[in-house]
Amino acid sequence: MDAQGRGRADNIDPADQWVLNPKTGEYELRLSPSAPHSAVPRPRRGGPPQGAPRGTRTTTPGPRAPAPDKPAPDDLPGPRRRRGAPPEPQPGRRRGRTKPRKGKAKKVLLWAGGSMAFILIAVTGAGYLYLKHLEGNVTTTDVGSAAKNGFSKDEAFNILIIGTDKRTGKGNTGYGDAGSVGHADTNILLHVSKDRTNATALSIPRDLIVNVPDCPTKQPDGSTKVIPGTEDVRFNTSLGQDGRDPGCTMRTVKEVTGISPDHFMMADFNAVKTLTTAVGGVDVCVGKPINDKESHLKLPKGVSKIEGEQALAFVRTRHSFGNAGDLDRIKVQQQFLGALARKMTSSDTLTNPSKLLELAEAATKALTVDTGIGSVSTLKDVALELKKVPPKNISFLTVPVRDNPADGVVHKTVIVDPSAAPQVFDAINNDVSFTEVKKKAKAAKDTAAARLKGSRSAASDIRVDIYNGGAAGGSAQATLNWLQNNEGVTKSSQLGNAGTSLAKTTLEYAPDQADQARKLADLMGLPASALKPGKSETNDQGLPAIILTLGKDFKGAGVPLTAPSKAPDVVKATADKQVCST
């Protein structure tokens, strides 16, 4: 008889045969001493998972042995009996029910992406077999060097969330463009800070005009094909068009923003429908009654609970909000994501095992990810790291853009705003929060920053030789001109290319030139890490000179390399507050 059959025969709920070992923190299969060797039970809808978690053990007794003189050291609670059934005494054990572990279902987290949303779920106590089952739901795509090989819990990370307009999945033939190869319809670059105090979800408009770079793509036969790039095209063509894969979209994001996505996650229309249904609907707010004939969305003014087809209609609607363009639809999608995040972190969801299992199935079936995070255990790690971020510190914002002057039609396509966007990209690249967060003590950084202050040297006293060690061509000459004409560093020389290529700009100096080095670093906006105590070199006048080598991180003459201390003031929303769309 298998474990489930034995449980029924003995009036023991099979779901309760998995019990927590307080010594190890793992769930173990506990059979009564009279049971024969049993198979691991299958997962049961609506109850705790019945497969054994990774690293757990099952307690399967051998031949019957005489009762011990005293209880065994393994003090696991016994299986609970069905309601109304007589108690089943067990040697060396007290009778009674085991108290449920507090917070048992709290390892769960939401991630969602615009009109294509999805969730990563990690369920505490889920058995190993069940996790392997979930892993079979996830689709992976090898995007080569566009993504990292693995995931680090100790670093900031960037995940590109892509929602496609491909009509795959049951009931989706009426959505998107007929015959679409699956363009990047909705795109969110999610940045999670290194200290996990904050996260930024940056929406990238599908109608943003960009240059798509050359893209190496993996072919079914294992070979690599380079798809030529194109200029002045919509961002959404970075996926699907000419056979481009999600790695091409990742490379395009790097081209546009300077931010490198570490991984991608992609979903289709079904994600919104299945996930909102699994959580029992989410609450959204509209500032006026909605009756959209295009999306078939009908909502009264105020707060409504939506799920399934209605939720998909909500995130796809654009004619009922703002100027009926994609930028206003992005705002509606961001409102939806915040609502879904609040629902996912509510006690109603976290303490409902049946709901968590439904979400686990829906989320993994909705996902396509890169091979670097393709295992359920890695997805769980990603989710648990994001779970550390308070909802109030998850910011939703959009790439600053302007109407494309080449269109001649307002709101048709857009271009990156050259004055506002770089500040947003720079803040994200330097792990700067767009919300107020409590800063951790950084004594070392404070000490280093202090080194840059208080220099008594004058700019005219500084002697410096400038080399190009990996910066853009002409950077050394441009820096020389800027220092001499704008900052008064007249004793400066440009000596061409350095012998080696450097990732970071450096400023090497002899001990007696420390004051000059601090002054030059202050003028150029160099971080303390750029200062390298060492030796100087003799310049063309026979005098000792500081050695400035411009690395690959050099942004241009007069552009500081120090990380911004504060994010720019931009229009944003946070995941903890409900906003009414108008």
Side-chain angles (χ1 to χ4, degrees):
M1 183 184 299
D2 65 12
Q4 284 185 317
R6 187 202 64 80
R8 295 188 183 97
D10 292 346
N11 289 320
I12 298 172
D13 188 343
D16 294 330
Q17 295 178 76
W18 286 101
V19 292
L20 177 69
N21 185 336
K23 294 182 178 180
T24 66
E26 301 285 356
Y27 281 82
E28 300 178 0
L29 178 60
R30 187 51 144 184
L31 306 181
S32 81
S34 62
H37 182 80
S38 303
V40 176
R42 296 173 61 84
R44 179 171 62 86
R45 182 184 177 99
Q50 312 237 346
R54 186 185 300 273
T56 61
R57 60 185 176 87
T58 57
T59 306
T60 53
R64 186 184 299 274
D69 294 332
K70 55 184 177 181
D74 185 1
D75 56 353
L76 294 178
R80 292 178 292 178
R81 54 192 173 84
R82 291 185 183 275
R83 185 176 297 173
E88 179 180 286
Q90 296 188 30
R93 296 193 180 276
R94 292 184 178 181
R95 301 177 184 178
R97 296 175 62 89
T98 304
K99 293 182 179 180
R101 181 185 178 193
K102 292 182 178 180
K104 176 179 178 182
K106 289 190 177 179
K107 289 185 179 178
V108 58
L109 189 61
L110 152 91
W111 278 358
S115 61
M116 328 300 159
F118 61 81
I119 302 173
L120 294 179
I121 300 297
V123 185
T124 299
Y128 173 72
L129 295 180
Y130 186 65
L131 290 180
K132 297 304 291 183
H133 161 73
L134 292 179
E135 196 160 296
N137 291 342
V138 181
T139 302
T140 59
T141 297
D142 186 354
V143 294
S145 61
K148 290 186 175 180
N149 291 330
F151 174 72
S152 172
K153 299 179 183 179
D154 302 319
E155 300 295 333
F157 61 90
N158 302 313
I159 294 185
L160 179 62
I161 300 169
I162 306 172
T164 76
D165 59 358
K166 197 171 184 178
R167 291 182 170 190
T168 54
K170 183 179 179 181
N172 293 327
T173 56
Y175 301 122
D177 297 328
S180 173
V181 293
H183 293 118
D185 189 62
T186 299
N187 311 276
I188 295 179
L189 180 62
L190 178 68
H191 170 81
V192 180
S193 70
K194 182 176 181 178
D195 61 9
R196 308 298 188 250
T197 61
N198 65 93
T200 302
L202 179 68
S203 292
I204 304 173
R206 67 175 189 178
D207 294 330
L208 179 68
I209 297 301
V210 300
N211 294 332
V212 177
D214 292 346
C215 177
T217 60
K218 295 285 185 178
Q219 302 301 301
D221 62 0
S223 63
T224 299
K225 176 183 178 182
V226 177
I227 300 175
T230 53
E231 296 183 353
D232 296 328
V233 294
R234 282 180 167 89
F235 182 90
N236 67 343
T237 62
S238 65
L239 178 67
Q241 196 80 8
D242 301 322
R244 294 186 179 115
D245 64 11
C248 300
T249 309
M250 297 172 72
R251 297 176 194 274
T252 304
V253 169
K254 175 66 182 298
E255 179 86 6
V256 174
T257 68
I259 304 168
S260 296
D262 300 313
H263 303 284
F264 84 87
M265 295 179 177
M266 184 169 65
D268 60 20
F269 295 121
N270 275 341
V272 171
K273 296 191 289 186
T274 58
L275 296 177
T276 53
T277 299
V279 297
V282 296
D283 293 330
V284 296
C285 181
V286 294
K288 60 183 180 181
I290 302 296
N291 186 3
D292 193 318
K293 295 180 180 179
E294 296 289 334
S295 68
H296 306 293
L297 177 67
K298 292 184 179 181
L299 289 177
K301 179 180 178 180
V303 177
S304 298
K305 185 183 294 294
I306 60 173
E307 63 179 89
E309 295 286 348
Q310 192 179 33
L312 181 58
F314 181 80
V315 296
R316 286 184 53 77
T317 294
R318 65 176 177 177
H319 298 288
S320 298
F321 300 111
N323 58 32
D326 192 51
L327 295 180
D328 284 291
R329 177 165 63 174
I330 286 175
K331 296 176 184 177
V332 174
Q333 292 170 350
Q334 291 173 348
Q335 178 207 334
F336 172 82
L337 299 185
L340 191 52
R342 292 190 296 274
K343 181 69 174 183
M344 284 300 303
T345 54
S346 68
S347 59
D348 177 57
T349 299
L350 294 174
T351 59
N352 188 324
S354 176
K355 192 173 288 187
L356 291 179
L357 291 180
E358 273 193 70
L359 284 167
E361 291 286 349
T364 50
K365 287 179 180 178
L367 281 176
T368 297
V369 301
D370 61 271
T371 53
I373 54 173
S375 70
V376 168
S377 60
T378 304
L379 291 174
K380 177 201 68 175
D381 290 340
V382 174
L384 294 180
E385 289 305 303
L386 183 54
K387 180 180 180 293
K388 297 175 182 178
V389 181
K392 67 178 181 179
N393 291 339
I394 301 177
S395 301
F396 293 100
L397 57 151
T398 305
V399 172
V401 295
R402 295 177 179 177
D403 285 326
N404 184 8
D407 284 339
V409 179
V410 177
H411 305 315
K412 182 179 179 181
T413 61
V414 292
I415 59 173
V416 171
D417 186 329
S419 61
Q423 300 175 57
V424 172
F425 302 154
D426 198 33
I428 294 174
N429 241 339
N430 287 285
D431 206 21
V432 177
S433 175
F434 283 80
T435 58
E436 293 295 330
V437 296
K438 292 182 178 179
K439 301 294 183 182
K440 295 182 179 180
K442 295 183 177 68
K445 279 193 174 183
D446 292 342
T447 301
R451 293 168 57 194
L452 300 178
K453 298 179 180 180
S455 173
R456 295 184 297 274
S457 291
S460 58
D461 295 333
I462 300 172
R463 293 185 299 272
V464 56
D465 286 347
I466 308 167
Y467 294 88
N468 190 329
S475 293
Q477 183 62 47
T479 300
L480 175 71
N481 295 339
W482 178 77
L483 286 174
Q484 290 184 342
N485 300 329
N486 295 72
E487 301 298 330
V489 184
T490 54
K491 298 175 183 177
S492 48
S493 303
Q494 185 273 112
L495 300 179
N497 293 329
T500 58
S501 180
L502 301 179
K504 303 288 185 180
T505 297
T506 62
L507 194 61
E508 186 177 359
Y509 57 94
D512 61 347
Q513 294 174 309
D515 201 51
Q516 291 184 27
R518 284 194 294 268
K519 179 65 176 180
L520 182 59
D522 194 23
L523 291 174
M524 295 186 64
L526 300 181
S529 59
L531 294 168
K532 302 293 182 184
K535 60 182 180 180
S536 60
E537 68 179 15
T538 302
N539 65 11
D540 54 6
Q541 297 176 344
L543 298 172
I546 298 169
I547 305 170
L548 171 63
T549 306
L550 307 178
K552 294 179 180 179
D553 64 335
F554 186 71
K555 300 177 181 179
V559 181
L561 288 181
T562 49
S565 59
K566 185 178 180 180
D569 187 16
V570 294
V571 177
K572 65 180 184 293
T574 54
D576 63 319
K577 295 178 181 178
Q578 185 176 67
V579 178
C580 290
S581 300
T582 56

